[in-house]
Amino acid sequence: MGTFYISTPIYYVNDLPHIGHIYTTVVADVVARYRRFIGDDVFFLTGTDEHGQSIMKAAERLGIEPQEQADRVVSRYHEHWKTLGISHDDFVRTTEARHRVAVEEMVRRIEASGDFYTDLHEGWYCSSCESFYTERELLPGHRCPTHESETEWQSEENVFFRLSKYQDRLLELYAGETPFVIPPSRANEVRSFVEGGLKDISVSRAGLGWGIPFPGRENEVVYVWLDALTNYLSALGLGSDDASKLDRYWHEGGTRINLIGKDILRFHAIWWPAFLMSAGLPVPSTVAIHGWWLRDDKKISKSVGNIVRPDELIETFGPDALRYFLLREMVFGQDASFSDEAFVDRFNSDLANDLGNTVSRLVKLSRSSFDGKTPPEACSDNPLIAAAESAVAGYHEAMGEFAFNRALASLWKLLSETNQYLVAREPWKLVKSEGPSASVSRILWNGLEAVRIVTTALSPVMPTTAASILAAIGGDAVPVERDTLAWGRTPLDQPLAEPVPLFPRIDKAAFLSGEEGAAAPPKAAASPAPKQAPAQESDMITIEEFFKTQLKMATILTAERIEGTDKLVKLMVDLGEESERTLVAGIAEQYSAEELVGRQIAVVANLKPAKLRGVESQGMLLAASVDGKPVLLGPDSQVPNGTPVK
RNA sequence: GGCGGUGUAGCUCAGUGGUUAGAGCGAGCGGCUCAUAACCGCUAGGUCGGGGGUUCAAAUCCCUUCACCGCCA
């Protein structure tokens, strides 16, 4: 077997892990585990990108050093990957010394190729993106198209990389017989972009920012992308005294996969191979591009606030259920929609009914038929053998193509065939009529064996679940060899423990409404408290819900203190209606009656009236609440009374 | 505006010239009762976005049009 290298992108430490990071990392983990399983020598790398102005600014806001800021977020990543069972071989951080050495080596090598030159770099600069924009790319007012923040005109001398020189070699790379970029739609995108001509890119930034000093240039740092991309080799020891890992995993004969999301396609499919060509190093064999998770069919973005951090799902249903869902639901390369309903449906139908119930069914049948043990006699001639071979073949083929959904579907077909087989043979009836006979033994052993094969193949996707099922049916603890997928390994006459439901069915309606106790945690999970639906969803309201609140502008006509209270004031306001309304507001400590009269305010017009100190308040005025003290909201300019606010 | 992609049963999708267009989920009916109200069987009548063309034959090839998405400008 060969060597197999796979990486995730390094994640930027200005953000905590969300479903996008989790998906990428789980995919890489599944591939890594699968390749180890079939016998490859695997190196699986993930890590964090810790340089750049955003980190520096975030640290400043918190009053800490950038490194401290990075350390804090990195520890969260470590926690997540541990919880999710990520089996990376190394975790690289761009603030590590070994990474700096590698970047310096890249710079030295590219320099030696004569691909650097200095020139003036000018444009509208967004400090959040750390990118220059042309006039036409900007939003009105010279604002950044990504961050909508203001940009500033900058002109500085930078080091440029001769990207344009590599146009032809890149096109050759894309035209090679093994696809450099998968899926093909992304490869087309990249090719047409490169065919359109490449401009040289600047790879240094002026100033002593939070980054790696550019070798030989006192007051510049290495541009974040040249810095970040090099991570893929710094963990292998590029630039260090020890080249053993580099030689072992990053050579033309091995498989070298950079797994990324579609947002960073160009950097990985164009810049990265060009840097490597210039540096005289092998390029990746494949850059694999996955799609994005949508939330209920909408794009996920920070500004919309619909980021999915599935901590609750993991805590309630275990990491394997999420791993399964992510791989089963998404067609690799395409976008997919994440919804609680889809998750529950997958959980109930695939995990509870198909997998969990089939295991439980067979274990209980065997226990009751054979005195608490696995069947004493095996079978080497039955329809399940061919079905299993076919399922395993389909699984291997799909796994090799990153078609994880098909790989899982192939295994689930065997589960279905196993249930069909059992119904056709009705061993529970045979036991009654002929006792624990040889035929009963063979039937149940076949069923267990089919389940064992499914579970073994499933172990890269659901490692924890697979281990407990295999233990439950008396098999090997952890499958480590490809030939454990061959028919015939379920042990005979071995004690079977009373099965515990692996995936108790979820009451869907109750779960979706966030009801307590809707979901029982699987197995003996350490966190027994049932959780409600993720906070992200329950905290959000629809626009319709928002419009239930009628907000209107009004003018204060009179104001008088209410006797015997410190805070309350009675206001008569004009809401543009036939008659005036009375409001009672707790603002007397901050506003005198005199300064209130004539002022325009925003009012909740459809609030149920309430009596305060005997005075009925027919609405509520809006104020910002600063430490409990009100600051009135008013219009930017005079508006008619009754004007709706929305 | 240019290039590319997608549009197939309620939902998610498979199917690139050839018998009555498929799967899973959901729904309905029936069966079974070993199993986590699970499992098994049957049913569901979708003008394969619209229009035109090529062909003995098209979801599958060509042209055109509409909608949505991506990349670029």
Side-chain angles (χ1 to χ4, degrees), chain A residues 78-96:
Chain A
H78 283 303
E79 286 168 23
H80 264 75
W81 298 160
K82 190 176 176 191
T83 304
L84 280 161
I86 304 303
S87 65
H88 49 282
D89 296 294
D90 202 344
F91 188 105
V92 65
R93 302 180 56 178
T94 57
T95 51
E96 290 177 298

Side-chain angles (χ1 to χ4, degrees), chain A residues 8 78 102 108 123 180 215 248 326 373 390 503 519 539 545 566 600 619 637:
Chain A
T8 73
H78 283 303
R108 193 190 63 71
F180 178 69
R248 184 164 156 194
L326 292 176
K373 294 179 178 173
S390 163
F503 301 104
D539 288 345
E545 285 167 353
D566 294 333
Q600 284 207 304
S637 60

Side-chain angles (χ1 to χ4, degrees), chain A residues 357-577:
Chain A
N357 178 61
T358 306
V359 170
S360 160
R361 179 181 206 185
L362 280 160
V363 170
K364 287 189 178 177
L365 270 171
S366 294
R367 277 173 56 88
S368 61
S369 306
F370 299 103
D371 195 25
K373 294 179 178 173
T374 57
E377 187 168 330
C379 177
S380 59
D381 177 24
N382 67 81
L384 280 184
I385 297 176
E389 278 171 9
S390 163
V392 168
Y395 161 81
H396 282 308
E397 186 187 340
M399 289 298 283
E401 295 170 5
F402 278 43
F404 311 108
N405 59 329
R406 278 201 284 123
L408 291 166
S410 184
L411 298 179
W412 256 249
K413 183 157 182 278
L414 179 55
L415 284 176
S416 170
E417 287 160 336
T418 303
N419 277 313
Q420 288 167 31
Y421 172 81
L422 291 174
V423 168
R425 304 299 162 100
E426 298 183 309
W428 49 91
K429 282 189 182 169
L430 289 178
V431 169
K432 283 175 189 162
S433 62
E434 56 191 54
S437 64
S439 58
V440 172
S441 174
R442 286 196 288 267
I443 292 164
L444 295 184
W445 185 86
N446 287 336
L448 283 169
E449 175 61 3
V451 165
R452 186 195 65 78
I453 287 171
V454 167
T455 305
T456 302
L458 191 57
S459 66
V461 179
M462 306 181 75
T464 311
T465 301
S468 53
I469 293 177
L470 290 173
I473 63 177
D476 305 337
V478 183
V480 286
E481 295 168 358
R482 182 183 183 130
D483 62 8
T484 52
L485 286 177
W487 187 263
R489 291 191 164 229
T490 294
L492 303 172
D493 213 17
Q494 289 293 306
L496 284 170
E498 173 74 28
V500 184
L502 292 161
F503 301 104
R505 279 182 67 85
I506 304 167
D507 181 334
K508 182 174 168 182
F511 178 77
L512 294 182
S513 67
E515 190 177 292
E516 289 286 315
K523 294 181 276 179
S527 50
K531 300 289 177 174
Q532 60 180 17
Q536 287 84 0
E537 182 156 280
S538 56
D539 288 345
M540 305 298 293
I541 62 170
T542 64
I543 191 82
E544 287 79 11
E545 285 167 353
F546 173 73
F547 282 134
K548 283 183 186 168
T549 310
Q550 288 174 21
L551 300 176
K552 290 183 182 173
M553 298 308 298
T555 301
I556 299 175
L557 303 173
T558 65
E560 56 181 283
R561 287 286 299 275
I562 294 178
E563 297 292 327
T565 70
D566 294 333
K567 293 184 180 174
L568 295 185
V569 59
K570 177 184 171 187
L571 307 171
M572 298 304 289
V573 301
D574 181 353
L575 261 171
E577 297 166 332

Side-chain angles (χ1 to χ4, degrees), chain A residues 282-304:
Chain A
V283 300
S285 43
T286 303
V287 179
I289 322 297
H290 66 69
W292 278 344
W293 281 96
L294 311 178
R295 173 71 183 190
D296 301 323
D297 294 326
K298 295 190 190 87
K299 259 189 188 172
I300 292 177
S301 77
K302 270 192 192 173
S303 55
V304 177

